[in-house]
Amino acid sequence: MTDALPTVLLVDDEEHSLASMRMALEDDFDCLTASNAAEAEKLMEDNFVQVIFCDQRMPGKTGVEFLVEVRDRWPDTVRIIITGYTETNDMIAAINDAGIYQFLTKPWHPDQLLMSAKNAADLFRLSREHDQMALEMRYLSRSAESKVEEQRKALREGLGFEKVLRAPNSPMNNVVEQARQFASFDVSVMINGEDGSDKATLARAMHYASLRSDKGFYEINCAGADEDLIEAELFGAKPSAAHGRQKRNLGLLRKAEKGTVFLRNVGDLSPRLQRAMARFATEGTFRPIGASELERSDVRLLASSNGDLMSEVSAGRFRADLFFALSQTTLTVPPLRARIVDLPILAQNQLFDAAAKHGKPVHGLSDDAIRFLERYNWPGNLRELENEMVRMLIFSQDSVLGPELISRHILQASPDDTEADDRIDHVLVSDGTLKDRVEQIEMRILRETLTRLKWNKSRAAAELGLSRVGLRAKIDRYGITEPNKANATEHQED
């Protein structure tokens, strides 16, 4: 006998929105639907609802007004509100009024909706388990009950694994599951991955899922900074008249007592700081600048590297004792090109973040834009994607951003695969006749130009120095097709 699916209540006065939400969630949830607050309240009375998705703008009571009532009568139900982009500032107050766990902006992506529902259902289950544990522990130990409440508070802070955005079938799912396992054990973790793959978000999530979540999380970038500055920030410094220090400066290893310190790019530490950190990682002791005695601190260490530290150890450039002390367990974060299934969620989320930061509301990316972005290799990973979203936002004129806004080198990426060695620079040095290699480049230039100019063939021909007849012949020769041509009206060429 299989376990019953968790129940989610969908509230929206628009039938097509309800149908879209049900379609996205019905495989994993028992979905109830209501078109207004009165219907939703009746369903709440008759069913055991774990999660609510509620639209903000509805006839009668607004979504926030309804969820305030839900908070009073069914406080354990996890409440999520769906709102138009321009209402996000109002939603900040709503989080306090209705105890809203999360708000989603329109248009939402089906994978984003599903991931939010799964995270909310997990939160409901964990909250119930914590409540049960607290009830049992009340008769055993008041300190144990306090610890349960601290964990529950950290869980609700919203800094956990729900921040690791991904699709239901993402390669990141296995990484996150491993991270969840490691989080509850007080061991060091080395997080490996390319630069820009957002290892810091995973480290922060592990802290807030650990038994140290009620204490501080601190991070320091070991790359690019002056050695003395890193030493002072890590270990602190005693007062010194000779150096003009009138009072003690506490380092992170003292500030983070009972908490977590995340060492980014740990492979860039100097030999002297490697030696000092090796002592702390193995013995728990450190010496502040200007101090004569060692101090002790209880800190969990997480670290990241974007290179092969084991080879650095073999070459004698990184201390073996520090490496193994920081690598009791290891995680590897895949690059963006290896988790391209996550790109629609990541790109839309970064676009909305950029829009909020720069005060320029948009409704998202078109399907054609997503397809072009999925073809690219993304050597700069999430940071490069974030830069591209900002660039597209700056040049956008419409609420939905199309492929004509995408950078030219991305538009010219191979449509057949996303391997790095299939870029134009490889074509220049690859085998094959001159004619074949020139044609590969010509095809990409044609596709990029047509996309950027929204398939205005007259403008494309003029820019490329071709006649319209010549351009059409090349389009036919290379089999270049306009996206969604079968469903679109014919573009005006003049």
Side-chain angles (χ1 to χ4, degrees), residues 223-289:
D226 180 78
E227 179 185 24
D228 293 337
L229 290 177
I230 294 178
E231 181 181 18
E233 189 169 355
L234 275 173
F235 303 113
K238 292 284 189 178
S240 171
H243 294 88
R245 291 191 297 268
Q246 302 302 317
K247 60 180 181 179
R248 177 174 180 175
N249 296 324
L250 291 179
L252 295 187
L253 298 183
R254 176 56 62 202
K255 292 178 182 178
E257 174 74 27
K258 303 295 184 181
T260 303
V261 170
F262 175 46
L263 305 169
R264 296 175 56 187
N265 300 302
V266 69
D268 290 345
L269 281 176
S270 69
R272 180 168 65 87
L273 293 183
Q274 286 181 38
R275 184 170 60 254
M277 278 306 303
R279 178 170 55 196
F280 180 77
T282 55
E283 301 174 7
T285 60
F286 67 98
R287 192 189 309 276
I289 298 173

Side-chain angles (χ1 to χ4, degrees), residues 13-64:
D13 60 314
E14 297 181 0
E15 281 296 326
H16 73 276
S17 295
L18 286 177
S20 297
M21 287 192 286
R22 177 187 284 274
M23 185 177 301
L25 301 177
E26 61 185 356
D27 289 342
D28 298 277
F29 293 88
D30 181 13
C31 297
L32 305 174
T33 59
S35 59
N36 54 58
E39 292 180 12
E41 184 175 359
K42 183 67 168 61
L43 288 171
M44 288 292 296
E45 292 172 347
D46 297 338
N47 296 274
F48 181 56
V49 176
Q50 287 96 316
V51 183
I52 295 179
F53 285 89
C54 184
D55 187 36
Q56 163 64 357
R57 293 192 176 183
M58 298 186 298
K61 292 179 182 176
T62 66
V64 170

Side-chain angles (χ1 to χ4, degrees), residues 128-251:
R128 280 299 180 100
E129 291 175 358
H130 281 309
D131 288 342
Q132 180 63 30
M133 187 185 301
L135 182 63
E136 294 172 357
M137 297 298 284
R138 182 174 301 166
Y139 301 98
L140 300 176
S141 169
R142 294 300 299 177
S143 62
E145 179 185 10
S146 175
K147 190 64 177 179
V148 168
E149 291 304 314
E150 290 170 359
Q151 288 180 312
R152 184 175 180 180
K153 178 177 179 293
L155 182 66
R156 291 185 179 275
E157 284 190 7
L159 295 171
F161 290 104
E162 68 273 10
K163 292 294 184 181
V164 185
L165 297 179
R166 61 200 188 278
N169 58 338
S170 170
M172 279 295 293
N173 290 339
N174 184 53
V175 178
V176 170
E177 285 309 307
Q178 291 183 56
R180 287 184 191 276
Q181 292 291 105
F182 296 156
S184 58
F185 290 84
D186 205 20
V187 296
S188 64
V189 183
M190 178 68 73
I191 307 174
N192 299 307
E194 293 182 6
D195 199 24
S197 54
D198 203 15
K199 300 181 285 292
T201 297
L202 197 62
R204 189 174 294 106
M206 292 176 64
H207 168 74
Y208 283 101
S210 75
L211 297 177
R212 296 175 180 263
S213 60
D214 58 319
K215 301 299 181 181
F217 174 83
Y218 299 87
E219 64 177 278
I220 179 172
N221 191 347
C222 303
D226 180 78
E227 179 185 24
D228 293 337
L229 290 177
I230 294 178
E231 181 181 18
E233 189 169 355
L234 275 173
F235 303 113
K238 292 284 189 178
S240 171
H243 294 88
R245 291 191 297 268
Q246 302 302 317
K247 60 180 181 179
R248 177 174 180 175
N249 296 324
L250 291 179

Side-chain angles (χ1 to χ4, degrees), residues 293-306:
E293 296 181 355
L294 294 175
E295 297 187 7
R296 184 173 295 275
S297 182
D298 177 14
V299 171
R300 184 185 190 181
L301 294 176
L302 304 178
S304 74
S305 172
N306 56 16

